[in-house]
Structures are given as structure tokens and as C-alpha cells.
């Protein structure tokens, strides 16, 4: 009789212990922080963070070694944005990821050897200048400029790709060629150019958004 | 008597466990290169950080030169000792004359090495005259 009670309690505990609440309670794969400069756990055939980090770094270092841009007595005014940097590849890509990184890293590295013009902020500047001219706001502490600065050079370039799929194995490959050029805004001369290329192949591709 | 011994042992164990204190910070230490010859920073040199390629790759030559703008360009001639293609990635960190880092390490830059070939990995600093030393690292491309 005494053992019967124990068995009953144990069986009850076992039954209720096995009952599930209907909630998926299994621990999932935890989110992890990855190095943007190295390939991550999700890899495909597209341009990925390690490519962007690497290409921007290479371009910055090459520009800083170019006398026409980084060795002038009077620092040239440069526009680095995505306006004339076209994505003509088969992959959707926010090209500003590349041009913004390039501009920020270059501005930091140049430390006065080049002056960067924020032409994409022209509306903002114009609005503030109008407010100052109308007397709505006071002048700034800096020297009053007659007009916003013009630029000497502007970044141009393109992202192009070549896709291949093997009908026999299902393997895919994609070659990217990313061209960077600095164009003289008076003469159209290309004073600096460089390219970054990479080819990736695999059975599975990632979805890029 | 037996119970007293058990209680005493338990008390000793509890007290001993209370004595180990994990509070506070810990001082970082470097591993002496006299004990492990592979540790340490080898100024103006490239090292292989990946044991898996230490027998596959040879660094035949290395050096540096000033670019026309004064930045320091460093290079390493790397030979693929195997009869299959390899990929390697390299990065370099630049230091001033007091061996203080001037800029973060460069991004990993990949080069391809077909079987039994030599290729040159090179990179340049963004700082100019203040760069006095460099330290390069090479690993297998992933």
C-alpha cells in the first residue's frame, strides 16, 4: 500500500512532466555578431560585407598614394557619392554602401589633403544660406562664402557582373568587376582609376535584400 | 562522533568555497617569446597566422618603399609550394617610430596563387612620414 502511493505520485509527475504547453520551447540558434571584414555564416554569390570593406580600404590606400589627389599643394575639392557610380550588375545592391564607406574612410585618412564636397547636401546648404540672407537666422561663425564650393574631381564608376550556371551540375558562378574612377570636372580627364574584382561559385546562393 | 565529523567536514567545505573570490578585474599578460618562439610582434615582417598553410606557403621576400605621396607601401612575395591552387589573405598594421599603432589594421586583402606560382601581396599606409614600422599577417583565404 505504501509503495502504491509512491508509484502513483511518480506516475502523476511523469505524466504532467511530459505534458507540453504547445509553445515551441527549444532553444534556437543564437544570433551572433560577425566580423564584417571576413566571410560570415551566410554566404552567397553576391557582393558581401567583406568585399565592401576590402574594396573601400584598397581604394582609399591607393588614392592616398596618388600625387594628383593626395599630393597637391592646394588640397583638391572632391565629390565622392553614388550619383555617377552605377550598378549595372545582375545583383540588387545599395551602392551607397560602397561610396559612403569610401568617402568616410577617405575623409578620415586625408586629414586635410583633400576637401570633400557634400553635393548631396546642396538643398540643405541652400536652405540655410537663404535663411541667413533673409535675416531669419544670424550668420555662422565661419567666413561667409559667396557661394557653395565647386569641386575639382568627382567619383564615377560601375559595378558589372557576369553570371554562369552549369546545366549539368547546377553550380552557379558570378564574376563582379567594380570600377572606380576620379574624373577631373573641368577637363573630363580621369586622374585616377582602380578596380576590384571577385568571382564566386557555389551550389547555393543567398537571397540579397 | 561520526555525525560531528560530517558536520565539521561540511563546514570546512563551505568556508573554503567562500574563500575563493572572483571579484575584481584581471591583469592581462603577454606570453613570453622565450617560452613560445612563435609569439610576439616581428617588426617589419610578415608572419603566417595559420598553421595549416605554414607548410604550403613560403614568403620568399618582403620589403617596403615610400610612394610619391610619402605613404609606406609594403609587399611580400608569396610562393605556393603545392601543386594545387591556394588563396591567401593578408593585412598589415602600421606603427610610428615609438611602435605605437598609427591606424587600424588594413582590411584582409585576398590574392590567388595558382599551383607552384609566386605572387606579390602589397598594401600601403594612409599615413605618411610618421609611419616607421609595419607588421603583416597572412592567413589562408576562406
Amino acid at each position: 500500500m505504501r509503495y502504491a502511493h509512491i508509484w502513483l505520485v511518480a506516475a502523476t509527475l511523469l505524466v504532467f512532466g511530459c505534458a507540453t504547453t504547445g509553445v515551441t520551447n527549444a532553444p534556437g540558434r543564437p544570433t551572433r555578431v560577425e566580423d564584417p571584414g571576413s566571410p560570415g555564416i551566410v554566404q552567397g554569390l553576391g557582393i558581401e560585407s567583406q568585399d565592401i570593406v576590402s574594396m573601400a580600404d584598397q581604394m582609399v590606400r591607393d588614392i592616398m598614394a596618388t600625387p594628383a589627389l593626395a599630393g597637391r599643394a592646394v588640397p583638391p575639392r572632391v565629390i565622392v557619392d553614388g550619383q555617377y557610380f552605377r550598378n549595372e550588375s545582375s545583383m540588387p545592391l545599395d551602392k551607397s554602401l560602397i561610396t559612403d564607406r569610401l568617402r568616410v574612410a577617405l575623409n578620415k585618412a586625408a586629414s586635410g589633403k583633400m576637401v570633400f564636397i557634400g553635393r548631396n547636401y546642396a538643398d540643405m546648404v541652400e536652405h540655410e544660406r537663404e535663411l541667413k540672407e533673409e535675416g531669419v537666422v544670424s550668420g555662422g561663425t565661419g567666413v561667409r562664402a559667396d557661394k557653395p564650393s565647386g569641386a575639382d574631381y568627382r567619383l564615377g564608376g560601375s559595378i558589372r557582373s557576369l553570371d554562369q550556371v552549369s546545366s549539368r551540375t547546377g553550380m552557379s558562378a558570378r564574376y563582379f568587376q567594380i570600377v572606380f574612377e576620379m574624373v577631373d570636372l573641368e577637363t573630363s580627364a580621369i586622374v585616377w582609376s582602380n578596380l576590384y574584382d571577385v568571382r564566386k561559385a557555389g551550389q547555393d546562393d543567398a537571397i540579397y535584400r | 562522533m561520526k555525525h560531528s565529523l560530517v558536520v565539521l567536514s561540511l563546514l570546512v567545505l563551505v568556508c573554503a568555497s567562500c574563500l575563493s573570490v572572483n571579484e575584481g578585474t584581471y591583469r592581462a599578460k603577454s606570453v613570453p617569446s622565450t617560452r613560445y618562439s612563435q609569439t610576439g610582434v616581428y617588426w617589419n615582417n610578415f608572419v603566417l597566422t595559420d598553421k595549416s598553410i605554414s607548410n604550403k606557403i613560403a614568403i620568399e621576400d618582403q620589403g617596403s618603399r615610400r610612394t610619391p605621396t610619402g605613404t609606406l607601401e609594403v609587399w611580400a612575395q608569396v610562393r605556393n609550394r603545392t601543386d594545387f591552387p591556394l588563396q591567401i589573405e593578408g593585412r598589415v598594421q602600421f606603427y610610428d617610430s615609438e611602435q605605437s599603432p598609427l591606424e587600424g589594421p588594413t582590411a584582409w586583402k585576398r590574392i590567388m596563387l595558382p599551383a607552384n606560382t609566386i605572387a606579390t601581396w602589397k598594401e600601403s599606409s594612409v599615413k605618411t612620414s610618421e609611419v616607421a614600422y609595419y607588421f603583416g599577417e597572412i592567413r589562408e583565404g576562406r
Side-chain angles (χ1 to χ4, degrees), chain B residues 97-125:
Chain B
S97 57
E98 292 171 348
Q99 297 176 341
S100 292
L102 279 170
E103 46 187 73
T106 64
W108 289 103
K109 184 178 174 182
R110 185 182 298 249
I111 59 168
M112 307 292 171
L113 285 166
N116 297 308
T117 59
I118 289 181
T120 304
W121 185 96
K122 62 181 179 179
E123 194 59 278
S124 55
S125 66

Side-chain angles (χ1 to χ4, degrees), chain A residues 35 37-39 43 50 53-54 57-58 60-68 70-71 108-109 111 113, chain B residues 67-71 89 92 94 103-110 112 123-128 139 142:
Chain A
D35 173 15
S38 295
Q43 292 185 56
Q50 72 273 13
V53 169
S54 183
D57 190 67
Q58 287 175 39
V60 166
R61 291 172 192 283
D62 197 32
I63 288 172
M64 292 306 295
T66 304
K108 198 176 162 191
S111 49
K113 288 176 185 162
Chain B
T67 67
T69 58
T71 61
E89 290 180 325
V92 65
F94 296 96
E103 46 187 73
T106 64
W108 289 103
K109 184 178 174 182
R110 185 182 298 249
M112 307 292 171
E123 194 59 278
S124 55
S125 66
V126 294
K127 303 276 185 190
T128 53
R139 71 179 183 187
R142 295 167 196 164

Side-chain angles (χ1 to χ4, degrees), chain A:
Chain A
M1 186 61 190
R2 193 175 154 202
Y3 288 111
H5 277 113
I6 293 170
W7 280 114
L8 187 66
V9 170
T12 308
L13 281 172
L14 192 66
V15 167
F16 280 95
C18 293
T20 59
T21 57
V23 176
T24 307
N25 208 21
R29 188 188 290 267
T31 305
R32 59 182 218 172
V33 179
E34 297 184 322
D35 173 15
S38 295
I41 198 167
V42 179
Q43 292 185 56
L45 303 181
I47 293 174
E48 290 165 354
S49 68
Q50 72 273 13
D51 298 308
I52 293 170
V53 169
S54 183
M55 77 175 82
D57 190 67
Q58 287 175 39
M59 297 309 136
V60 166
R61 291 172 192 283
D62 197 32
I63 288 172
M64 292 306 295
T66 304
L69 293 166
R72 280 180 39 169
V74 178
R77 294 181 189 148
V78 183
I79 301 173
V80 178
D81 61 14
Q83 185 74 34
Y84 295 96
F85 189 75
R86 296 179 303 277
N87 178 16
E88 291 170 2
S89 73
S90 57
M91 176 194 170
L93 176 73
D94 181 0
K95 59 190 181 183
S96 297
L97 283 168
I98 299 171
T99 54
D100 285 0
R101 189 177 181 95
L102 182 60
R103 183 181 61 253
V104 169
L106 204 51
N107 201 352
K108 198 176 162 191
S111 49
K113 288 176 185 162
M114 281 176 264
V115 175
F116 293 85
I117 305 295
R119 187 54 51 78
N120 49 330
Y121 299 124
D123 291 349
M124 180 176 74
V125 174
E126 193 55 42
H127 177 63
E128 183 67 14
R129 287 174 63 87
E130 278 173 15
L131 290 176
K132 286 175 183 169
E133 278 168 16
E134 289 164 8
V136 179
V137 296
S138 65
T141 56
V143 179
R144 176 92 168 86
D146 289 340
K147 51 189 81 167
S149 299
D152 298 305
Y153 305 110
R154 187 164 195 162
L155 180 79
S158 63
I159 306 166
R160 293 172 192 272
S161 65
L162 178 67
D163 291 19
Q164 294 167 284
V165 180
S166 165
S167 55
R168 190 172 58 82
T169 63
M171 288 278 286
S172 301
R174 190 179 286 155
Y175 168 70
F176 284 99
Q177 181 177 276
I178 301 115
V179 170
F180 298 83
E181 288 175 321
M182 204 61 86
V183 181
D184 187 319
L185 293 173
E186 290 290 335
T187 64
S188 307
I190 296 171
V191 296
W192 168 85
S193 58
N194 199 344
L195 67 84
Y196 176 93
D197 63 348
V198 63
R199 193 171 78 166
K200 299 185 179 186
Q203 196 99 43
D204 296 320
D205 197 2
I207 297 168
Y208 296 90
R209 287 183 284 198

Side-chain angles (χ1 to χ4, degrees), chain B residues 31-81:
Chain B
V31 178
S33 55
T34 47
R35 202 165 145 207
Y36 299 104
S37 60
Q38 304 299 323
T39 62
V41 176
Y42 297 94
W43 301 110
N44 298 338
N45 265 294
F46 280 85
V47 295
L48 302 173
T49 63
D50 204 340
K51 195 178 179 185
S52 66
I53 59 164
S54 60
N55 289 327
K56 302 178 194 167
I57 291 292
I59 297 179
E60 299 291 359
D61 201 3
Q62 57 192 308
S64 63
R65 69 182 180 101
R66 292 283 168 185
T67 67
T69 58
T71 61
L72 187 73
E73 183 184 73
V74 300
W75 52 269
Q77 272 202 321
V78 187
R79 185 164 63 85
N80 179 358
R81 299 172 63 196

